[in-house]
Amino acid sequence: MQCDFVVAVWGDWHIGMLDRVMLPTLAAPGNLPAVLKEHPARLRILTRRLDEPAIDALPSVQALRAMLPVEVEAASEERTLSPSLHLAWWARAGEEARDRGAVLFNLPPDVAFAEGALAFYCRQMALGKKAALAPPQIRVVSESLDADFRERLSGRPWAPVAIGPREMVRLGIRHMHPLTAMSIQGSRHGVPNISTYWPVPGQGLLYSLVTEEVMALRPDICGVRGLFRLDGSVSLDEVCWPTDSDDGFFLSLCPLAKDTGLLLEDMPLDERFLAHWSAHPANRTPLGRGLAGRLARIRHAEPDPAPWAEAEAKARQWVARFQAQRDILDALIAVKDAGCRWGSRFMGLAARLLDLPALAPAGAQATLFVPTDRAIAQPLAEDLARLALPGGEAALLSALKAHAAPGLHPAPAPGQEAGFPAADGRPMTLRTDAAGRCLVNSRAPIAGSLVVGPFLIHLVDELLHDRQEAAA
Amino acid sequence: MSPIPADAERLLNAFGEFFLAYETHERAEDAFAQGSLNGMLLPARVRSFEPLFRRAAARLLAHQGAARHKLLLLRQVMDQAMILLGEPAQELAYADLLALGGADPGQEARRLYLLALELDPGCARAHFNLACLLASAGQTDEAARHFDAAAEAEAWYRKYADLRVGLLLDSAGRSEEAGQRLRRAMGEGHDSFGQLRNRLGDAMRRAGDASAALNHYARALDWHHYFPPEFAVTDTPDWFGALLDEARDAFRTAGPHAADPQG
């Protein structure tokens, strides 16, 4: 297996981290040297023209040249680069790797690899995995971790730094960045993120990732899109994702004060918050929803079964609720995009006030009947407004159940009728006339249908619940 | 504002803090400005400079207060994380960085905001951030007063002030007043409230405005992020340089008989 290790880097801070932290850990015996015994490889460092001489002169880069071919390439002549330009560089490097039949490895410049992580990834790719995700990780404060690494170098300009995974996890906890701390379940404040953690006292952290960060791929097989996410051409089982930090782990460095402006006071990262963030177009990927359930242990000790079992039980419940929330949010977004402004507003109300994951558990198939804007006259009638006001929760739940049915119930063929119970147990019918017009309960025309995750959504031009009963 | 300091000793201390802030601001100092800041010019020139100094110093103090304010939150976050992990907080490798805010960074932030307001009662950032601290301490009315003062001083803060006062009133059970403030906060085309939309929906629901509540719950699906203004850099990057230029001009034109700029 031919390996193309690619680093995209520019700017003093990132170059400093590359030189003092990333490359020393990459060059530790269990990483690059172990890989090079098995596989031919080259290291490509892509940068801007301005930084090319400085990178070329780095002690770490010069030392690595004794191990493998190292190419420092100016990928841009510009002085000021967009922060996401590395994605375009990675894409180009992927095409070049494909042309030479190599596997592409994108190595972030601002991480510290645990000993053995790179060899694990290469082994997995050589065994047939099509892609690999960045390992379980802890974000750490660069100011203090950099100082720790300077001490390890003891005044030498450069040396490989081998840190075993468990020691690296301990470092991760000692230098933990507040952005990671805010992503731990139980934290009072929150921050938008694509991962979350559960504390396992005395052992480490349990980790769940809700969208992938690609670290390696076979460019001849895998497609990528957006923020270098996989495009669905491979399944989760074909992707390497270390679920134990003993296999693969890194620390991601970040200045202490970075992104404090993202801090949301008294808004913890609960399953709905993370479901919403994971549904963002940049984060929404075919693998993300399933990936959340592949929990990874980040540990600094021999596993003590009891605390892990307890944390995993909590996490599995959380993941189930997260996945249900994600399905519901996807449905809500689809309804809004379909132009049902009022339907999406009432669904948003229900999502806020009712425990929808309990009503519609993850993956449970259901048919939803969502009123179009034609079904809800303006201004809002008093009985409908009351659903949104304090005291209206029971009526809201009742109305919701009248607009949902367990199972999938497509419109029957012309001239046919289908009957089934609604979520409130009352009988419901779908009848399609010879002209193909389908009515719900013999009165509400279906204006269109959508399939979103486990839901079949019929857009209906009339409300289905008993409004007099709800008003009472 | 009187050109004569009400409390010379405190103003002198403020000058000292101003210098420290100035040095950390990574801006090359002009010898002329340094000389003037050291108070080596004619009293008339100092007087002509004084209002500008007050504004500049107040803004820098507010910035420094915001840094302590951030440290307060970061400490809260890290203390809680270490408890969750069963790790001693003092083991945190960058405890010395977090300690930069002093024993009580919240108190220190408050002191700096108050000092900023003493120098310049129109310092919007100091008002807004002080209001945030007061709100956290449950001093609702006092917080609301400072939120409104921030909006009076700088229109940019208006929607955020209405938002925060509205949510405070809602928490205090004053739903109707909350609804009025929150309706005003919404105005035309504001999309800056991001993840707070669900809270806004809750408040409008309690205020009896079903349509507004429903609208907020649907808008909670949007992707806008709420950036807390207390930590946002709201000043233009050149505000400090512009003030210094203004100060230099004032020095150059102010002779011993120059008119007091405050009249």
Side-chain angles (χ1 to χ4, degrees), chain B:
Chain B
M1 185 196 309
S2 162
I4 307 300
D7 178 339
E9 190 181 332
R10 293 194 69 170
L11 192 59
L12 196 63
N13 287 338
F15 257 91
E17 300 223 32
F18 175 57
F19 266 117
L20 285 175
Y22 182 57
E23 280 177 11
T24 58
H25 213 260
E26 296 181 348
R27 191 178 173 85
E29 286 185 60
D30 172 292
F32 184 79
Q34 186 161 5
S36 53
L37 292 173
N38 276 321
M40 295 190 300
L41 287 183
L42 294 170
R45 286 185 170 181
V46 172
R47 274 205 301 280
S48 74
F49 174 73
E50 199 237 359
L52 293 163
F53 158 73
R54 282 177 177 262
R55 277 168 55 204
R59 293 175 88 161
L60 273 174
L61 290 170
H63 273 282
Q64 295 213 318
R68 265 75 169 181
H69 201 150
K70 271 187 197 176
L71 279 169
L72 170 71
L73 283 171
L74 295 182
R75 274 201 209 175
Q76 283 177 4
V77 165
M78 293 317 302
D79 285 350
Q80 193 190 10
M82 292 296 116
I83 290 169
L84 287 168
L85 288 164
E87 300 282 338
Q90 62 271 25
E91 288 297 303
L92 210 57
Y94 57 94
D96 55 336
L97 283 179
L98 290 182
L100 286 176
D104 185 346
Q107 191 57 34
E108 181 62 6
R110 191 179 172 132
R111 187 187 75 79
L112 288 162
Y113 294 147
L114 286 170
L115 189 54
L117 290 175
E118 196 170 320
L119 287 168
D120 176 11
C123 182
R125 186 169 202 193
H127 276 299
F128 193 89
N129 287 19
L130 178 60
C132 293
L133 286 178
L134 293 167
S136 299
Q139 295 173 251
T140 306
D141 289 338
E142 188 67 357
R145 197 173 68 75
H146 281 286
F147 278 130
D148 284 338
E152 285 297 313
E154 199 174 317
W156 184 85
Y157 280 101
R158 169 57 66 195
K159 63 182 172 181
Y160 293 108
D162 282 336
L163 172 79
R164 299 293 283 266
V165 172
L167 292 177
L168 275 179
L169 291 169
D170 176 58
S171 300
R174 292 152 67 180
S175 303
E176 200 172 320
E177 294 167 77
Q180 287 168 7
R181 293 301 293 258
L182 293 175
R183 264 187 287 274
R184 194 167 79 173
M186 288 310 111
E188 277 287 313
H190 290 332
D191 55 8
S192 322
F193 302 129
Q195 291 93 340
L196 297 188
R197 287 277 179 184
N198 275 322
R199 282 191 192 168
L200 287 168
D202 296 345
M204 295 313 290
R205 192 172 159 261
R206 284 188 280 268
D209 189 337
S211 288
L214 285 163
N215 189 34
H216 286 306
Y217 292 131
R219 293 290 305 273
L221 291 176
D222 296 345
W223 307 113
H224 300 295
H225 183 73
Y226 175 71
F227 289 97
E230 55 269 40
F231 303 129
V233 179
T234 58
D235 302 302
T236 62
D238 288 336
W239 70 266
F240 189 64
L243 269 175
L244 276 183
D245 290 344
E246 211 181 321
R248 278 192 208 98
D249 290 346
F251 278 128
R252 289 188 183 112
T253 55
H257 305 295
D260 184 326
Q262 294 294 307

